[in-house]
């Protein structure tokens, strides 16, 4: 059964920038998927579309059977508990310790109280940073901070984890530790979708790899290494040139 379905999805921003063009992708429950590509390829937009942070210009997106554009007000809180988000723009707050940073997620989903605090203690223990619970972000290593961000994404018990460049600022050891934690979550049944530039990690992990270029899907491979097309400027120019041709000929309708 699919956890995530994109059906002919387009995303065009107001200034005319095409961030996603005709994306049709299916991700099964329990899959671990890397999304790769050059800066501006549409990786972050893809993650924001599937997590409901951005709305598609056209096309349909289903997450755990819910069609995102038709979610009712009563369905939205349920949906937001299904997807754990780990993104650089949602960093740790410097004015509170790691425990309270993770506890924020419980408050945001209206799950305060003693039971919620127990969940925070449990997830910090799973991430191996329970001994840092009362430390502030500036008092811990970058790797420990990344684990706290992962804990915050997972404390609500989502079935899908979305992570945007989670190892970007980490050294190789901390990066590997974080990937191992994500892999373990995946083994426990969590669907994991990670946008990454880390060629070595992607190749070592040998997961499904989706390659984007200028908002288009150019490769989708299982048990794969880092696809060289992800960093190919010539490939990007090809995609942009073909898009310009379609626009001139009137063959694009968003």
């Amino acid at each position: 059964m699919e956890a995530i379905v994109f059906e002919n999805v387009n995303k065009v921003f107001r200034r005319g920038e095409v961030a996603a063009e005709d994306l049709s992708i299916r991700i099964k429950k329990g899959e671990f998927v890397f999304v790769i590509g050059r800066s501006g390829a549409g990786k972050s937009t893809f993650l924001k579309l599937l997590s409901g942070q951005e709305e598609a210009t056209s096309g349909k997106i289903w997450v755990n059977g819910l069609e995102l554009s038709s979610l009712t007000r009563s369905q939205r809180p349920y949906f937001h508990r299904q997807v754990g988000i780990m993104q650089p723009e949602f960093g740790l707050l410097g004015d509170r310790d790691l425990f309270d940073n993770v506890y924020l997620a419980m408050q945001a989903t209206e799950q305060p109280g003693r039971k919620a605090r127990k969940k925070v203690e449990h997830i910090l223990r799973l991430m191996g940073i329970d001994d840092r619970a009362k430390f502030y972000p500036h008092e811990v290593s970058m790797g420990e901070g990344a684990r706290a961000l992962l804990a915050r994404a997972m404390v609500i018990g989502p079935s899908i984890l979305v992570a945007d460049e989670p190892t970007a600022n980490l050294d190789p050891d901390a990066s590997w530790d974080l990937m191992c934690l994500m892999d373990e979550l995946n083994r426990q049944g969590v669907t994991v979708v990670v946008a990454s530039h880390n060629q070595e990690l992607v190749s070592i992990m040998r997961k499904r790899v989706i390659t984007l270029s200028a908002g288009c899907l150019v490769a989708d491979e299982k048990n794969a290494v880092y696809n060289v097309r992800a960093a190919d400027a010539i490939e990007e120019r090809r995609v942009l040139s073909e898009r310009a041709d379609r626009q001139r000929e009137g063959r694009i309708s968003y």
Side-chain angles (χ1 to χ4, degrees):
M1 184 176 179
E2 283 92 3
I4 300 159
V5 177
F6 275 50
E7 188 175 281
N8 305 118
V9 172
N10 296 287
K11 176 63 180 180
V12 183
F13 292 106
R14 288 182 181 178
R15 55 187 177 274
E17 177 190 354
V18 179
E21 182 180 359
D22 199 29
L23 292 182
S24 291
I25 297 170
R26 293 174 179 267
I27 297 174
K28 292 181 180 179
K29 288 188 176 182
E31 274 198 281
F32 191 125
V33 180
F34 281 109
V35 182
I36 64 174
R38 291 165 58 85
S39 294
K43 302 185 303 296
S44 294
T45 298
F46 176 73
L47 298 187
K48 289 179 179 180
L49 286 167
L50 78 85
S51 58
Q53 297 170 76
E54 292 281 0
E55 293 185 4
T57 303
S58 61
K60 298 289 186 181
I61 301 171
W62 287 267
V63 176
N64 287 341
L66 296 172
E67 201 275 290
L68 299 194
S69 67
S70 63
L71 287 179
T72 64
R73 181 175 295 182
S74 62
Q75 287 175 318
R76 288 189 179 278
Y78 171 76
F79 167 73
H80 290 309
R81 293 178 187 178
Q82 298 298 301
V83 183
I85 302 171
M86 185 180 178
Q87 290 176 321
E89 57 259 50
F90 301 138
L92 298 173
L93 298 179
D95 64 348
R96 58 195 70 196
D97 60 33
L98 298 192
F99 184 97
D100 285 339
N101 264 284
V102 176
Y103 187 65
L104 273 174
M106 305 302 289
Q107 294 175 306
T109 53
E110 300 179 351
Q111 301 179 67
R114 183 178 298 177
K115 188 175 180 180
R117 299 187 75 83
K118 289 291 184 183
K119 287 184 177 180
V120 174
E121 292 170 0
H122 175 69
I123 197 70
L124 289 175
R125 198 157 49 245
L126 285 179
M127 296 297 125
I129 53 172
D130 50 310
D131 61 338
R132 295 290 190 266
K134 293 304 176 184
F135 284 60
Y136 285 75
H138 71 275
E139 298 175 317
V140 301
S141 69
M142 296 292 287
E144 290 166 338
R147 292 192 205 182
L149 287 173
L150 180 57
R152 190 174 67 188
M154 292 305 302
V155 71
I156 58 175
S159 61
I160 298 171
L161 170 65
V162 171
D164 192 357
E165 300 290 353
T167 65
N169 299 312
L170 305 183
D171 62 42
D173 287 342
S175 297
W176 179 245
D177 287 344
L178 190 66
M179 279 295 111
C180 287
L181 285 170
M182 291 186 178
D183 196 39
E184 180 56 32
L185 291 170
N186 178 244
R187 291 175 188 275
Q188 295 173 12
V190 177
T191 304
V192 179
V193 184
V194 180
S196 180
H197 277 111
N198 194 316
Q199 298 186 25
E200 184 177 7
L201 275 179
V202 172
S203 295
I204 290 173
M205 297 286 287
R206 297 299 292 255
K207 302 295 186 180
R208 180 179 173 187
V209 179
I210 289 173
T211 306
L212 300 179
S213 182
C216 287
L217 176 67
V218 295
D220 186 350
E221 306 159 291
K222 293 185 178 180
N223 190 31
V225 298
Y226 195 95
N227 192 312
V228 294
R229 296 172 74 183
D232 191 344
I234 295 175
E235 175 75 7
E236 183 180 68
R237 287 198 291 271
R238 180 192 65 79
V239 172
L240 291 171
S241 176
E242 291 179 355
R243 176 178 298 149
D245 288 343
R246 290 193 296 274
Q247 288 172 332
R248 281 193 299 269
E249 296 167 6
R251 291 188 288 124
I252 288 182
S253 177
Y254 299 125

